[in-house]
Amino acid sequence: MLKRVTAWLAVGALMVAQPASPVPATLAEALALWSTVLTRFVDDQGRTNFEALAADRSSLDEFVALVARVSPTTAPELFPRRVDVLAYHFNAYNALAMQGVIDEGVTDGFTGFFKRQLFFRFRKVTVGGRSMSLSAYENEVIRPLGEPRAHFALNCMVRSCPRLPQTAFSADELEAQLDAAAREFLNDSRNVRVDTAAREVWLSSIFDFYTEDFAADGKRESLIEYVNRYRNERIDSDFAVKFIPYDWTLNRQP
């Protein structure tokens, strides 16, 4: 208990040193704000109503304000378990991407290479006082945590991303949430297409971008073994692996 009190005193000091948007008093309150955003502005297909959110963004901004000041690095006492750390980063990344779309006035997505570079590599976000790009956040902070299912939780707000859930990731429920996300993603024909006649399987380009996260040997053939863990219908291990082009169109509500 003393460690948690000390940690929140440290958070308070950061808030005094860096006055900005209102910051929730506790992580639970912050998570409730993020859940409110997801419930109000994300539909059951994972599409976001960016226009309505832009007009009523206070909950999102308050959650991101806490992310900017508090993280597992700045207050490790608040994140004693691996699942606490993972859930924090998944929620933080998704919220930062969502806020970025609004701040930058993105309306169509990131269909051009230059647009993607500007948004994901050059635009800066702040996590626990550390300034970095979304790309750096994913590749230098989240991926080294060694959870491949992170790729079914992280959402950059475009159509080929996994479905953005209508509830926040919760440390106590994270294992079940990640398992469900993996099964949903890998049983969706938009992400895994099996051509039995041609003996081919077409996988989401996520498996191309991050092959080493799913296959320790880095081989395409080993990707099938990973995918089969979550598939209702198994794929023959000798099928040729190809990749579905990534759709970078903004996943917005009509």
Side-chain angles (χ1 to χ4, degrees):
M1 181 64 182
L2 180 58
K3 287 184 177 181
R4 288 181 176 264
V5 171
T6 302
W8 279 115
L9 288 174
V11 171
L14 283 169
M15 291 166 58
V16 171
Q18 304 176 38
S21 300
V23 180
T26 67
L27 286 175
E29 289 182 12
L31 205 59
L33 287 171
W34 175 231
S35 285
T36 296
V37 172
L38 295 170
T39 300
R40 290 184 60 197
F41 300 107
V42 178
D43 66 16
D44 58 5
Q45 296 181 52
R47 302 173 301 182
T48 301
N49 187 336
F50 290 103
E51 290 79 6
L53 178 57
D56 185 8
R57 57 182 291 171
S58 60
S59 293
L60 174 62
D61 288 341
E62 288 180 37
F63 176 69
V64 170
L66 181 130
V67 168
R69 292 161 173 75
V70 183
S71 74
T73 300
T74 63
E77 298 88 348
L78 301 177
F79 307 92
R81 302 168 297 174
R82 181 171 179 268
V83 289
D84 294 302
V85 175
L86 288 168
Y88 167 91
H89 287 306
F90 299 160
N91 291 321
Y93 181 96
N94 292 348
L96 289 165
M98 181 182 285
Q99 187 190 61
V101 167
I102 296 172
D103 286 348
E104 300 302 320
V106 178
T107 58
D108 55 350
F110 312 101
T111 53
F113 176 78
F114 186 62
K115 280 187 177 181
R116 291 197 291 276
Q117 295 299 303
L118 284 176
F119 189 83
F120 294 104
R121 294 187 181 275
F122 293 102
R123 183 178 180 275
K124 300 299 182 182
V125 299
T126 303
V127 179
R130 176 184 170 186
S131 177
M132 68 187 94
S133 67
L134 280 173
S135 177
Y137 188 22
E138 179 179 10
N139 292 299
E140 298 174 16
V141 177
I142 300 175
R143 289 179 63 201
L145 295 173
E147 176 50 79
R149 292 172 299 176
H151 298 296
F152 311 128
L154 299 179
N155 193 293
C156 62
M157 306 295 134
V158 301
R159 290 179 181 173
S160 281
C161 284
R163 183 179 63 85
L164 184 64
Q166 292 178 293
T167 57
F169 288 103
S170 164
D172 290 338
E173 301 174 8
L174 189 62
E175 180 60 32
Q177 288 177 318
L178 289 179
D179 187 76
R183 292 185 184 282
E184 177 181 322
F185 190 84
L186 297 174
N187 285 284
D188 189 330
S189 60
R190 291 174 298 179
N191 308 313
V192 179
R193 301 173 190 165
V194 180
D195 187 335
T196 304
R199 300 194 65 76
E200 296 175 346
V201 57
W202 290 75
L203 303 179
S204 162
S205 284
I206 286 175
F207 286 91
D208 187 21
F209 302 154
Y210 308 107
T211 299
E212 62 270 29
D213 291 0
F214 300 103
D217 58 9
K219 295 180 179 179
R220 287 187 177 189
E221 295 76 12
S222 298
L223 293 174
I224 296 177
E225 179 182 351
Y226 184 89
V227 169
N228 276 337
R229 297 181 194 177
Y230 303 98
R231 288 275 297 175
N232 295 332
E233 296 182 8
R234 292 181 61 83
I235 303 164
D236 286 354
S237 59
D238 61 349
F239 275 21
V241 176
K242 298 187 177 182
F243 298 107
I244 302 167
Y246 213 70
D247 187 349
W248 291 97
T249 305
L250 192 65
N251 195 24
R252 64 190 308 161
Q253 292 180 24

